[in-house]
Amino acid sequence: MNQNYYAVLMAGGVGSRFWPVSTSSYPKQFHDMLGTGKTLIQKTFDRLNKFIPTENILILTNERYNELVLEQLTQVKQEQVVLEPAMRNTAPCILYASLKIKKMNPNAVMIVAPSDHWIEDEDAFEQDVTTCFDKCEQEDVLCTLGIQPTFPNTGFGYIEFEKEDENPLKRVAQFREKPDYETAKEFLEQGNFLWNAGIFMWSVNTIVNAFKLYQQNQYELFESGYGVFNTADEQTYINENYPKAENISIDYAILERSDSIFTLPATFDWNDLGTWGALYDKLDKDDDRNATVNSGTLLQDAKGNIIRSEKGKVVVIDGLEDYIIVDKEEVLLICPKSKEQDIKKILGQVKGKFGDQYA
């Protein structure tokens, strides 16, 4: 394996749209959402570990998930788990991890990837990432993998690339916010728009210099701790200084300001598994379009449902169509798929009425 290849797995999110399975104490990346026998973070780690050395993969997560990471990724050492003492969006944690990697290996190129996405063709994923790595090793550029849109999705941000660019890696014209439906349709018709999957590649020197140029305060805050990074004194420094960092995403902080961004249209199937509906799309279904995870089911006059329970439970459903049915310990959710966007609101109501222990 190339010893200059590094990865940062983003594993700090809560995934509240997957409540009641995903909770603040046990988020979706630590669950086997598709019933494959491996959790999402385990699948993501294995995918990257095919071409990135085990010791070169860092896990960025909230300190409350430290034990979960170590339990599920047994090949990872404690020093590979980068703990955020406060939630400050993606820019500060990426800068922090980049400086740690730079101190380990100033020749490193790195990928930043979510830990909870589903990618089927892992060989194509490896090829796309290494194509970007090659460019990042040769030029001071920031790269992203863009997903070819299959429908006018209003839930994703979009990457607009220069239409006349015939190279495999396209120069990015601009990043676009989540559009309304009509705007999303226009994006697809124009043909030079990709979904922003939040998968980024760059050399450590290029991304650190970008922070120095565009986010000077953030750069100075974290660079002042460079001497203690990867030592026993690192966590003390981070606990004291990390909460001072600005709450800002990598998109706003760097990507929307830089004029050296390139995107590679991905050649692999991808799903962000952001909602129960997205999960339903990836699961195998019976003749009546019902999808089941873990459950033993007896279904009558039931069509288009997604059913998930704890292992070993039998679920009997009669007369439901296009519903989300999730049975998890002390919570049972029965919700029309058409109202899945209300799940975050329902979660807030449950917390207000019954307490945080159910969230």
Side-chain angles (χ1 to χ4, degrees):
M1 289 188 184
N2 191 323
Q3 295 300 316
N4 290 337
Y5 286 3
Y6 285 75
V8 173
L9 287 193
M10 307 290 282
V14 175
S16 55
R17 289 185 177 87
F18 272 111
W19 184 82
V21 169
S22 181
T23 64
S24 58
S25 61
Y26 209 112
K28 71 169 181 174
Q29 59 267 28
F30 301 108
H31 289 277
D32 177 9
M33 296 301 299
L34 289 105
T36 64
K38 288 191 174 183
T39 65
L40 294 177
I41 194 171
Q42 289 171 331
K43 291 286 290 182
T44 305
F45 188 95
D46 290 349
R47 183 187 312 129
L48 289 163
N49 202 198
K50 288 181 176 180
F51 61 102
I52 296 177
T54 301
E55 65 275 13
N56 289 4
I57 302 177
L58 303 185
I59 316 300
L60 265 176
T61 191
N62 190 279
E63 56 187 12
R64 72 165 86 173
Y65 306 137
N66 184 56
E67 292 306 315
L68 279 173
V69 170
L70 295 174
E71 285 171 14
Q72 295 201 0
L73 302 178
T74 55
Q75 61 273 66
V76 164
K77 297 177 181 177
Q78 179 65 70
E79 54 264 32
Q80 292 171 251
V81 186
V82 183
L83 301 176
E84 305 169 77
M87 302 291 276
R88 287 295 182 271
N89 216 313
T90 52
C93 60
I94 287 173
L95 174 58
Y96 172 29
S98 300
L99 286 167
K100 281 175 62 66
I101 292 171
K102 181 180 179 180
K103 193 173 181 185
M104 297 176 203
N105 182 352
N107 298 315
V109 289
M110 58 185 281
I111 176 174
V112 177
S115 61
D116 54 1
H117 290 180
W118 184 257
I119 292 171
E120 292 187 11
D121 189 341
E122 297 189 341
D123 291 336
F125 171 79
E126 177 181 344
Q127 181 59 56
D128 286 353
V129 173
T130 53
T131 295
C132 292
F133 276 173
D134 289 345
K135 189 171 183 69
C136 294
E137 286 180 320
Q138 297 165 15
E139 303 175 43
D140 291 330
V141 297
L142 307 172
C143 292
T144 178
L145 294 181
I147 308 300
Q148 199 69 50
T150 53
F151 67 99
N153 195 316
T154 60
F156 297 144
Y158 284 71
I159 303 165
E160 179 183 357
F161 61 84
E162 293 182 358
K163 212 166 190 176
E164 64 277 8
D165 193 337
E166 296 182 358
N167 296 305
L169 272 151
K170 316 291 186 184
R171 184 176 287 276
V172 172
Q174 61 180 323
F175 289 85
R176 303 290 288 266
E177 297 295 320
K178 295 175 183 177
D180 58 31
Y181 183 74
E182 290 303 318
T183 304
K185 283 172 59 178
E186 292 175 11
F187 287 172
L188 265 65
E189 290 165 3
Q190 291 182 46
N192 61 320
F193 284 81
L194 304 168
W195 288 337
N196 184 358
I199 303 173
F200 309 114
M201 289 126 302
W202 39 59
S203 72
V204 289
N205 290 313
T206 298
I207 190 61
V208 169
N209 288 337
F211 271 96
K212 188 175 182 180
L213 180 62
Y214 300 115
Q215 295 289 320
Q216 188 174 3
N217 290 340
Q218 293 265 39
Y219 169 79
E220 290 177 354
L221 174 66
F222 285 94
E223 203 277 335
S224 66
Y226 191 74
V228 299
F229 288 170
N230 307 330
T231 74
D233 296 323
E234 175 183 333
Q235 199 60 48
T236 300
Y237 175 86
I238 287 298
N239 288 343
E240 180 181 343
N241 290 279
Y242 196 93
K244 301 175 186 176
E246 182 183 357
N247 190 330
I248 187 171
S249 72
I250 191 68
D251 301 69
Y252 284 122
I254 303 297
L255 300 179
E256 294 186 6
R257 302 187 180 201
S258 174
D259 57 3
S260 300
I261 311 284
F262 289 80
T263 187
L264 180 66
T267 61
F268 50 84
D269 291 332
W270 171 89
N271 192 307
D272 77 327
L273 295 184
T275 64
W276 285 110
L279 177 62
Y280 172 82
D281 290 340
K282 297 308 299 178
L283 292 169
D284 294 332
K285 300 165 188 69
D286 65 17
D287 292 340
D288 290 316
R289 299 178 291 104
N290 295 299
T292 302
V293 180
N294 291 339
S295 315
T297 57
L298 179 61
L299 307 176
Q300 299 182 37
D301 192 25
K303 298 179 180 179
N305 301 296
I306 177 169
I307 305 135
R308 193 187 198 280
S309 73
E310 300 298 302
K311 285 186 177 179
K313 180 164 287 191
V314 174
V315 179
V316 181
I317 296 172
D318 189 344
L320 286 183
E321 183 171 351
D322 293 330
Y323 267 74
I324 300 164
I325 302 108
V326 183
D327 186 29
K328 180 179 180 286
E329 297 166 352
E330 67 274 15
V331 177
L332 171 64
L333 172 71
I334 303 172
C335 173
K337 286 197 299 191
S338 62
K339 292 186 176 181
E340 70 171 353
Q341 295 302 325
D342 293 339
I343 288 178
K344 286 185 75 172
K345 183 170 69 175
I346 293 169
L347 172 57
Q349 294 170 340
V350 169
K351 288 170 67 175
K353 186 170 184 178
F354 300 104
D356 289 347
Q357 67 268 31
Y358 298 102

